[in-house]
Amino acid sequence: PITLRCSSVRGVTRRGSIIATFTICSHSKEERMSLDVVIMAAGKGTRMKSARPKVLHTLAGRPLLQHVLEMSAGLGAERLITITGHGAELVESEMRAALPAAPLAFVRQEPQLGTGHAVQQAVPELADAGTTLILNGDVPLVRPQTARALIEACGGEKLVLLTVVLDDPTGYGRIVRGGVQGDRVLAIVEHKDATPAQREIREGYTGMMAAPTAHLKRWLASLKNDNAQKEYYLTDIVAMAEAEGVPVVATIASGETEVLGVNSPVQLADLERRYQRQRADELMEAGVRLRDPARFDVRGELVCGRDVEIDVNCVFEGRVELGDEVRIGANCVLRNAKIAAGAVIHPFTHMDGEAAGIEVGEGALIGPFARLRPGAKLGAEVHIGNFVEVKNSTMAKGAKANHLAYLGDAVVGERVNYGAGSITANYDGANKHRTTIEADVHVGSNCVLVAPVTLGAGATIGGGSTITKDVPAGQLAVARGRQACLNGWTRPAKAPKKPAE
Ligand code: UD1
Ligand code: CA
């Protein structure tokens, strides 16, 4: 809506009409600056051939739509309005859970009658003036600086389109230019409606634009569906702007990756690799040595110190911190873990800190084939060897569990040596109990420590013992059947075969 102010009354006609001069009141600065973001995500994504809505498929561990919403949340918008349709309930609940603090709004579009129809559904949610940024829920890697540039160029006054020059623009809406210099944007013509000459145009519309909100509302109200697809095309507003003399600006995207959409599993995998390559390049530029950037995956946040080395096929999830000179062997999966300086993680180690997190101390040696679970807090120079599982346990400096062992709900003192095949029996079927192993204890091989139990400092547990009572400091505890040796005993022998008759 435009506000008109009557500046002077010129007179009255014979029929009684008033002749007056009006001036158009511009919106206040605040209204001009107001920003809304509309994200189109109602489409089915038929080519994904999946029961899951397309925008919930994940890239780098997060749904496509979440990438767009997270980027948008940094733009300072009043509202982030997502148009949902296919799988709307699931899309809405997953996004609300993922971004609880963002100003999310959802509008349903049923049935889906085109991109113009999609944005029409958002009109009641939009401000009266300012800028509306329109994005796609299936174009996950659009950069914040690109979005900001569109918003700035729009300034609540111009229609700004993000375009891309492609070798093969098949399927894209074409940017039709003309005017005296031939560079004025006149219209977007959809591929299916384009003439053979228009199909030669290599500049395509990316699906992203920034529009003056007041104009946008008006243009949307007059869209028609008299086209090849019988859809309400959002792109038809370009010709409307041109006809009204509203400036139209086409900004050519600087990179291809940020304007690529996902329509199929092949495209999803391609974008995943592009994303991972970008993360890998950033880390290598910061000095991290990746053995092979093509075999490296970050699905969250990876923070690295100096002289970090990462071998092939490692996956980092959640938040992972690697201190100076940390080395990660091949085929490790690390989630929510903090590894201190100089620690070495040998191949095939799995760490999942979940919410409680995992800490690995300075100079610790972990793996190969180690498993660290939530609440594993390992001190400096701890050694965890192959097929050792540690959960919700602290191990003090220099403690070792080198082979085939389980430590759950335990407190392990300095320099403890925990033998091969030993376990803490921490679960009685109903409750978890703690095991305390004080400094310098030696636990032999194949012991069962039935919690709750305390092994006093310097105690020794004989191999094969089942320990159910506390062991005083410094003592040897042996709890197993005594060995017996029978003199003169002979092995059973087979009876000799009778010769055949
Ligand atoms: C659209 C553009 C085209 C552009 C191309 C870039 C129009 C008319 N055409 O074409 O100029 O080159 O994107 O990829 O806008 N959607 C809805 N509701 C609908 C229809 C679509 O929410 O009723 C959503 C889809 O889920 C998708 C986005 O809008 O996220 C684009 O829809 P899509 O059908 O892929 O657009 P195209 O026809 O390819
Ligand atoms: Ca379409």
Side-chain angles (χ1 to χ4, degrees):
I2 295 169
T3 311
L4 299 176
R5 184 185 296 130
C6 178
S7 44
S8 65
V9 177
R10 294 288 173 83
V12 182
T13 65
R14 260 177 277 167
R15 284 183 184 164
S17 302
I18 295 170
I19 305 167
T21 310
F22 291 87
T23 54
I24 297 171
C25 302
S26 58
H27 293 279
S28 71
K29 189 168 179 243
E30 216 165 74
E31 282 175 309
R32 280 204 310 276
M33 301 304 285
S34 142
L35 173 67
D36 288 308
V37 178
V38 174
I39 300 165
M40 292 187 285
K44 191 170 182 192
T46 313
R47 283 199 277 152
M48 289 302 290
K49 298 185 180 164
S50 165
R52 203 166 159 73
K54 176 167 78 175
V55 292
L56 291 184
H57 283 274
T58 57
L59 181 137
R62 275 136 56 231
L64 298 174
L65 178 57
Q66 192 179 334
H67 284 267
V68 182
L69 287 169
E70 280 172 359
M71 187 284 291
S72 303
L75 298 174
E78 309 288 322
R79 281 161 297 269
L80 308 178
I81 305 157
T82 304
I83 315 295
T84 56
H86 283 278
E89 263 167 45
L90 194 61
V91 172
E92 292 168 15
S93 65
E94 286 201 16
M95 290 306 105
R96 283 209 169 93
L99 292 115
L104 302 186
F106 294 93
V107 180
R108 302 266 174 103
Q109 184 202 16
E110 273 151 7
Q112 285 93 41
L113 303 178
T115 53
H117 180 251
V119 182
Q120 276 171 1
Q121 313 310 306
V123 164
E125 300 285 326
L126 297 176
D128 291 334
T131 298
T132 298
L133 176 69
I134 299 175
L135 303 172
N136 279 296
D138 59 1
V139 181
L141 299 183
V142 57
R143 295 176 307 158
Q145 53 265 49
T146 302
R148 278 200 202 95
L150 294 180
I151 295 160
E152 205 159 294
C154 170
E157 288 168 355
K158 297 178 188 166
L159 177 59
V160 185
L161 311 171
L162 187 66
T163 67
V164 61
V165 178
L166 297 158
D167 289 335
D168 177 15
T170 305
Y172 280 76
R174 303 301 206 282
I175 307 298
V176 179
R177 292 174 185 261
V180 185
Q181 251 102 43
D183 60 352
R184 240 171 68 200
V185 178
L186 304 181
I188 297 178
V189 178
E190 291 304 310
H191 182 88
K192 286 186 180 149
D193 299 280
T195 63
Q198 287 167 334
R199 288 189 182 178
E200 294 297 309
I201 299 170
R202 285 175 48 218
E203 187 181 4
Y205 171 54
T206 61
M208 293 178 263
M209 65 165 73
T213 306
H215 289 313
L216 176 68
K217 287 182 167 180
R218 206 159 26 77
W219 295 330
L220 288 172
S222 48
L223 285 179
K224 299 202 171 57
N225 68 346
D226 49 357
N227 52 52
Q229 304 186 75
K230 296 281 171 279
E231 285 182 9
Y232 295 91
Y233 292 162
L234 175 63
T235 45
D236 283 352
I237 70 169
V238 176
M240 294 180 187
E242 160 65 21
E244 288 181 12
V246 174
V248 181
V249 182
T251 312
I252 298 175
S254 51
E256 186 190 41
T257 301
E258 66 171 331
V259 302
L260 288 177
V262 172
N263 296 298
S264 65
V266 168
Q267 289 174 345
L268 180 60
D270 173 47
L271 266 198
E272 175 83 36
R273 282 338 302 164
R274 286 170 185 254
Y275 173 91
Q276 295 302 345
R277 182 67 209 214
Q278 287 175 355
R279 298 287 82 74
D281 287 348
E282 285 163 13
L283 287 164
M284 290 189 292
E285 268 154 37
V288 176
R289 294 191 290 278
L290 298 179
R291 192 59 65 206
D292 182 359
R295 287 178 289 168
F296 167 79
D297 288 85
V298 178
R299 301 174 191 156
E301 200 185 348
L302 175 62
V303 183
C304 294
R306 262 179 58 189
D307 283 308
V308 167
E309 288 185 13
I310 300 173
D311 209 332
V312 300
N313 290 335
C314 292
V315 179
F316 300 89
E317 298 182 331
R319 184 181 163 86
V320 176
E321 281 179 51
L322 306 180
D324 295 348
E325 292 174 46
V326 163
R327 285 191 286 136
I328 311 288
N331 301 298
C332 290
V333 177
L334 272 55
R335 177 163 174 253
N336 293 346
K338 193 173 169 180
I339 317 291
V344 178
I345 315 301
H346 289 295
F348 297 98
T349 291
H350 185 258
M351 297 188 195
D352 184 357
E354 291 179 18
I358 286 170
E359 286 169 23
V360 174
E362 280 189 27
L365 303 179
I366 312 295
F369 300 101
R371 179 168 187 217
L372 303 185
R373 293 177 49 207
K377 303 274 154 85
L378 313 184
E381 290 155 44
V382 162
H383 292 188
I384 298 293
N386 40 218
F387 309 107
V388 174
E389 174 182 348
V390 183
K391 186 217 78 175
N392 191 32
S393 295
T394 61
M395 293 178 75
K397 186 176 177 186
K400 294 183 174 68
N402 273 326
H403 332 262
L404 302 159
Y406 175 60
L407 278 158
D409 304 307
V411 177
V412 179
E414 293 191 3
R415 297 172 300 277
V416 163
N417 197 318
Y418 192 77
S422 290
I423 64 153
T424 53
N426 55 330
Y427 185 53
D428 61 13
N431 301 298
K432 300 270 173 68
H433 301 283
R434 298 200 70 84
T435 301
T436 303
I437 306 174
E438 295 179 354
D440 300 302
V441 165
H442 280 211
V443 177
S445 297
N446 241 27
C447 293
V448 180
L449 309 178
V450 181
V453 71
T454 297
L455 313 182
T460 301
I461 313 301
S465 294
T466 296
I467 300 295
T468 56
K469 293 195 281 269
D470 290 354
V471 178
Q475 294 190 5
L476 167 69
V478 185
R480 62 179 186 230
R482 245 175 210 285
Q483 184 169 327
C485 297
L486 303 187
N487 195 8
W489 176 84
T490 55
R491 277 190 211 162
K494 278 185 182 164
K497 269 187 185 163
K498 283 181 190 156
E501 290 188 16

